[in-house]
């Protein structure tokens, strides 16, 4: 049975188009029909010449099968089969097997239909016309020259021949239509699956964009709010400093979220997040989250109480960005649904774990607010679901915050639970396994980030005046001597006429008028003076996609930083290149 399956599988491969597969069905079925015709001709007492024609027909079918599958020329095989069968073999069999008083008209009809069914384009109609001419010629000869027509003597055998022809042709057509129905159903299923996958991808994109839209509102609100506070207190140094500090925290958080949006592969896969661990102090992280929400807390005159007494030092290696997002979402919810002038409690509890490299931490966020109906608790983490109450309707929201929070918690291999009582408040408990950092990580985290670049001359190449000013001020603060160039042409001129060693490093924008950063880098790398050609170049650009980065490195840059650049990151790269000669 397996051998027969392999035989048929060879002729019905998925790589074959529908005409090729139908051709194979017709040829194999036709060969079976020829064998049955040979057997019936013995009983009907046909002329020996008829046996010869039947044998030639069988050999011809085998040859055509080889052309279609061995040489992989199915359309040529169809043309050969159609012309020779309909214009030579079938007309001769028609004359030597009884003409109209036999089963041959049915075979001729099948040959005419197949020529149209198996051929593509205009050639189908050309071949059909040729085949019709061949059939009509045979009919005309049998009518005008009856001496060439060999008739079947017995009417009984005429009926038998017709019945056999009808049965065989009906069998072949049934096979063809069944196979076409099978192909149609299979294609319909594939199209349906493709549609479902496309719909799933579309939903993933929509969900991703909705999630990100929800996530960025909190830090944007903080930036806008504290900017207004800073403008109103321009002469109050303390308030100004505090506002700028909170704007910095919010903008850094926002920048991390934007970095995620730029990773297009996440949108396509529907996986909006990736885990990036760093060493952090949990108490500092909770305080940062609280400061980020300070305006909302003050607006409702709430008091936030934090408790870290039930944990050790709280230094862990964790995904800081997404742990912050979890706590932000929970604190934001607590603020939204708390009654004014009430309390919010944030407790962090540490438990030992069987795995010595981890500790288990519970983050409790409890409010004194309206609470949640017990019947609604099961729907709490479903996207876009919101309980219909007077307070909920008055609070802006999309119903995504807790759904996002749950997905983040599960991504970090944790759990989230909720308990609530109407009119008294709710408590959310997030349980997460967090890694204990090793000594090396702690040493890296405690880097003082104080570098001295006195005596180092750096050329800043950027067409944007504000970007150039920010970079220059940052580098001057760490002692570097700075020169500026507005575009690549000025940079090439300055470096070309300089003496080797005059410039220690170049910071190059990529997207510039006249000559862009990549072309400028290529020209510098092609300078005849080796020391000038090998000057370190850092690309600093707003182009954040992988193809931009690849193009920059192919042009010869030593490092690639994406704007807005954190000063600490820039200084680290400078240290690597200037101090460690990498």
């Amino acid at each position: 049975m397996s051998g027969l399956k392999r035989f048929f599988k060879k002729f019905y491969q998925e790589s074959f188009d529908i005409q090729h597969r139908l051709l194979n069905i017709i040829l194999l079925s036709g060969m079976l029909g020829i064998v049955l015709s040979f057997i019936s001709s013995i009983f009907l007492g046909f002329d020996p010449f008829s046996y010869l024609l039947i044998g030639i027909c069988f050999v011809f079918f085998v040859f055509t099968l080889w052309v279609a599958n061995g040489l992989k020329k199915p359309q040529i095989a169809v043309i050969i089969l159609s012309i020779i069968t309909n214009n030579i073999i079938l007309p001769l069999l028609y004359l030597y097997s009884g003409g109209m008083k036999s089963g041959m008209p049915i075979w001729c009809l099948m040959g005419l239909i197949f020529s149209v069914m198996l051929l593509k384009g205009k050639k189908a109609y050309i071949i059909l016309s040729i085949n019709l001419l061949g059939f009509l010629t045979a009919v005309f000869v049998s009518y005008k020259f009856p001496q060439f027509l060999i008739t079947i003597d017995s009417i009984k055998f005429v009926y038998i021949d017709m019945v056999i022809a009808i049965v065989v042709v009906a069998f072949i057509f049934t096979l063809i239509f069944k196979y076409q129905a099978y192909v149609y159903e299979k294609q319909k299923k594939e199209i349906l699956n493709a549609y479902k996958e496309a719909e799933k991808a579309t939903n993933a994109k929509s969900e991703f964009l909705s999630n990100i839209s929800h996530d960025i509102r909190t830090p944007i609100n903080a930036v806008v709010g504290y900017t207004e506070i800073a403008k109103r207190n321009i002469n109050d140094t303390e308030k100004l400093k505090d506002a700028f500090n909170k704007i910095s925290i919010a903008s850094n958080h926002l920048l991390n979220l934007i970095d995620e949006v730029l990773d297009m592969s996440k949108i396509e896969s529907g996986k909006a997040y990736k885990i990036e661990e760093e060493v952090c102090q949990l108490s500092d992280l909770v305080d940062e989250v609280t400061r980020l929400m300070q305006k909302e807390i003050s607006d409702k005159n709430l008091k936030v109480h934090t408790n870290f007494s039930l944990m050790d030092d709280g230094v862990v290696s964790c995904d800081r960005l997404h742990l912050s997002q979890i706590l932000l979402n929970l604190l934001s919810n607590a603020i939204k649904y708390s009654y004014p002038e009430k309390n919010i409690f944030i407790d962090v509890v540490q438990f030992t774990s069987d795995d010595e490299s981890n500790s288990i931490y519970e983050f409790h966020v409890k409010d004194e607010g309206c609470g949640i109906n017990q019947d609604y608790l099961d729907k709490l983490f479903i996207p876009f679901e919101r309980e219909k109450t007077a307070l909920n309707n008055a609070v802006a929201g999309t119903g995504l915050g807790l759904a996002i929070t749950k997905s983040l918690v599960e991504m970090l291999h944790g759990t989230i639970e909720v308990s609530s009582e109407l009119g008294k408040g709710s408590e959310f408990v997030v349980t997460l396994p967090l890694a204990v950092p090793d000594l090396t990580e702690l040493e890296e985290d405690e880097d003082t980030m104080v570098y001295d670049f006195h005596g180092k001359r750096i050329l800043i190449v950027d067409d944007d005046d504000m970007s150039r000013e920010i970079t220059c001020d940052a580098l001057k603060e760490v002692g570097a001597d700075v020169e500026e160039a507005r575009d690549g042409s000025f940079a090439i001129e300055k470096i070309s006429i300089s003496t080797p060693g005059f410039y220690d490093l170049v910071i190059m924008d990529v997207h510039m008028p006249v000559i862009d950063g990549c072309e400028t880098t290529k020209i510098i790398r092609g300078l005849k003076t080796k020391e000038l050609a090998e000057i370190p170049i850092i690309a600093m650009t707003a182009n954040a996609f992988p193809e931009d980065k690849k193009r920059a490195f192919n042009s010869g840059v030593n490092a690639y930083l994406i704007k807005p650049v954190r000063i600490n990151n820039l200084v680290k790269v400078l240290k690597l290149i200037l101090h460690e000669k990498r």
Side-chain angles (χ1 to χ4, degrees):
M1 187 65 183
S2 60
L4 191 61
K5 269 189 176 180
R6 282 197 299 271
F7 174 78
F8 281 108
K9 193 174 181 181
K10 182 180 178 181
F11 294 105
Y12 307 120
Q13 297 176 33
E14 292 294 328
S15 59
F16 293 169
D17 60 23
I18 185 65
Q19 281 90 355
H20 191 168
R21 281 179 272 178
L22 286 176
L23 173 63
N24 287 338
I25 289 175
I26 290 166
L27 288 171
L28 293 172
S29 303
M31 288 162 67
L32 177 62
I34 290 168
V35 171
L36 292 175
S37 294
F38 179 78
I39 295 169
S40 68
S41 66
I42 295 172
F43 291 103
L44 296 173
F46 281 177
D47 185 90
F49 187 67
S50 297
Y51 299 141
L52 179 63
L53 281 175
I54 291 171
I56 291 171
C57 191
F58 185 84
V59 171
F60 177 64
F61 269 45
V62 172
F63 169 75
T64 310
L65 197 66
W66 173 74
V67 172
N69 299 283
L71 298 181
K72 300 191 186 303
K73 303 285 186 182
Q75 283 294 289
I76 292 175
V78 172
I79 293 171
I80 295 170
L81 174 68
S82 185
I83 290 176
I84 293 179
T85 302
N86 288 288
N87 293 277
I88 299 174
I89 296 174
L90 288 178
L92 287 174
L93 284 172
Y94 175 88
L95 293 171
Y96 284 92
S97 301
M100 283 295 182
K101 295 180 179 179
S102 70
M104 285 313 301
I106 298 169
W107 285 102
C108 291
L109 177 64
M110 185 182 74
L112 293 171
I113 293 172
F114 288 163
S115 64
V116 178
M117 186 182 292
L118 300 178
L119 286 169
K120 299 177 182 177
K122 294 180 180 178
K123 57 180 174 281
Y125 303 103
I126 297 170
I127 299 299
L128 176 61
S129 302
I130 295 170
N131 293 343
L132 274 171
L133 186 61
F135 174 68
L136 292 174
T137 301
V139 173
F140 177 77
V141 169
S142 67
Y143 175 72
K144 276 290 186 181
F145 306 100
Q147 64 271 25
F148 293 124
L149 183 65
I150 298 174
T151 58
I152 301 173
D153 296 330
S154 170
I155 189 66
K156 175 184 175 184
F157 288 157
V158 171
Y159 285 130
I160 292 172
D161 187 42
M162 286 182 175
V163 168
I164 291 172
I166 290 170
V167 169
V168 173
V169 171
F171 174 73
I172 293 173
F173 274 113
T174 301
L175 278 180
I176 290 169
F177 288 129
K178 281 288 185 183
Y179 185 73
Q180 282 186 314
Y182 162 76
V183 170
Y184 170 75
E185 288 298 326
K186 187 175 181 182
Q187 288 177 339
K188 187 171 80 171
K189 189 176 180 182
E190 288 173 354
I191 291 169
L192 187 61
N193 289 337
Y195 172 77
K196 288 180 179 178
E197 287 298 317
E199 190 175 38
K200 184 179 177 182
T202 302
N203 291 339
K205 290 178 183 179
S206 300
E207 184 179 354
F208 176 85
L209 293 172
S210 297
N211 290 353
I212 290 299
S213 173
H214 177 277
D215 286 355
I216 65 178
R217 288 181 184 278
T218 299
I220 284 178
N221 187 60
V223 170
V224 172
Y226 284 113
T227 300
E228 290 299 317
I229 291 172
K231 286 162 68 177
R232 290 197 302 268
N233 297 276
I234 198 72
N235 296 318
D236 189 331
T237 306
E238 284 301 315
K239 282 193 175 182
L240 205 59
K241 185 178 178 181
D242 181 62
F244 284 148
N245 183 47
K246 288 167 182 173
I247 288 171
S248 178
I249 293 170
S251 60
N252 283 334
H253 185 76
L254 183 59
L255 179 58
N256 285 327
L257 292 173
I258 290 171
D259 285 341
E260 289 202 347
V261 175
L262 293 174
D263 191 346
M264 291 299 178
S265 63
K266 297 172 192 172
I267 298 180
E268 295 301 329
S269 65
K271 296 178 181 177
Y273 309 105
K274 62 182 176 184
I275 297 175
E276 292 184 357
E277 293 195 347
E278 60 180 283
V279 176
C280 70
Q281 167 66 254
L282 289 180
S283 57
D284 291 344
L285 187 147
V286 173
D287 289 340
E288 275 186 17
V289 169
T290 306
R291 288 200 300 273
L292 195 59
M293 300 298 297
Q294 191 58 53
K295 184 177 183 301
E296 288 80 359
I297 292 168
S298 300
D299 287 346
K300 295 187 76 170
N301 199 22
L302 299 169
K303 291 183 180 179
V304 178
H305 307 274
T306 55
N307 178 18
F308 308 113
S309 62
L310 296 177
M311 71 175 187
D312 294 334
D313 57 8
V315 178
V316 297
S317 179
C318 68
D319 187 336
R320 184 188 186 98
L321 170 64
H322 295 116
L323 181 52
S324 296
Q325 190 63 46
I326 290 167
L327 296 176
L328 264 174
N329 285 351
L330 293 180
L331 180 57
S332 174
N333 256 32
I335 294 167
K336 283 180 185 177
Y337 300 109
S338 284
Y339 296 126
E341 301 182 355
K342 291 292 184 179
N343 299 293
I344 294 174
F345 303 92
I346 302 175
D347 298 340
V348 183
V349 183
Q350 182 179 354
F351 298 93
T352 56
S353 170
D354 295 336
D355 183 355
E356 292 183 359
S357 63
N358 288 334
S359 288
I360 305 299
Y361 287 86
E362 282 186 357
F363 298 85
H364 296 249
V365 180
K366 184 178 181 181
D367 64 71
E368 295 177 343
C370 61
I372 304 166
N373 194 311
Q374 295 297 312
D375 296 336
Y376 183 75
L377 287 178
D378 292 338
K379 300 179 181 178
L380 198 60
F381 299 105
I382 299 174
F384 304 107
E385 284 284 344
R386 298 188 75 206
E387 188 178 12
K388 302 295 186 292
T389 66
L391 179 58
N392 285 357
N393 292 337
V395 175
T398 61
L400 281 170
L402 289 176
I404 296 168
T405 302
K406 188 172 189 293
S407 68
L408 290 173
V409 169
E410 290 175 347
M411 182 190 73
L412 298 177
H413 310 293
T415 59
I416 182 168
E417 296 175 351
V418 59
S419 57
S420 185
E421 190 174 347
L422 281 176
K424 292 188 177 180
S426 305
E427 181 177 8
F428 288 85
V429 181
V430 172
T431 305
L432 293 172
L434 300 178
V436 178
D438 60 29
L439 184 60
T440 306
E441 289 179 292
L442 288 170
E443 286 174 352
E444 289 176 355
D445 190 58
E446 290 165 1
D447 191 347
T448 59
M449 291 298 295
V450 176
Y451 303 118
D452 183 7
F453 294 111
H454 282 91
K456 303 294 182 182
R457 183 176 281 104
I458 298 172
L459 177 62
I460 312 295
V461 188
D462 199 322
D463 65 304
D464 185 79
D465 294 338
M466 290 180 66
S467 294
R468 212 168 53 248
E469 183 183 354
I470 291 168
T471 307
C472 287
D473 286 348
L475 294 177
K476 286 175 182 177
E477 284 184 12
V478 291
D481 295 325
V482 178
E483 288 194 18
E484 302 176 42
R486 288 182 178 275
D487 62 54
S489 62
F490 289 107
I492 293 166
E493 183 183 354
K494 281 177 174 287
I495 293 171
S496 298
I497 63 175
S498 68
T499 56
F502 182 78
Y503 293 111
D504 294 283
L505 183 138
V506 179
I507 295 177
M508 181 88 66
D509 185 27
V510 172
H511 188 69
M512 294 186 294
V514 187
I515 305 177
D516 72 12
C518 292
E519 289 303 315
T520 302
T521 302
K522 287 179 182 178
I523 293 170
I524 293 171
R525 294 294 180 236
L527 293 175
K528 292 180 181 179
T529 306
K530 184 182 177 184
E531 290 82 355
L532 296 179
E534 293 180 351
I535 186 171
I537 300 175
I538 299 174
M540 195 160 74
T541 175
N543 296 339
F545 292 98
E547 56 269 24
D548 299 314
K549 187 175 182 179
K550 183 178 179 181
R551 179 171 173 255
F553 276 111
N554 286 341
S555 71
V557 303
N558 300 85
Y560 190 91
L561 297 175
I562 300 170
K563 295 178 182 178
V565 177
R566 293 186 178 91
I567 300 305
N568 282 355
N569 289 345
L570 175 59
V571 170
K572 280 181 179 180
V573 173
L574 290 173
K575 180 187 176 185
L576 279 172
I577 294 175
L578 296 177
H579 286 196
E580 300 180 17
K581 304 298 181 185
R582 292 185 183 177

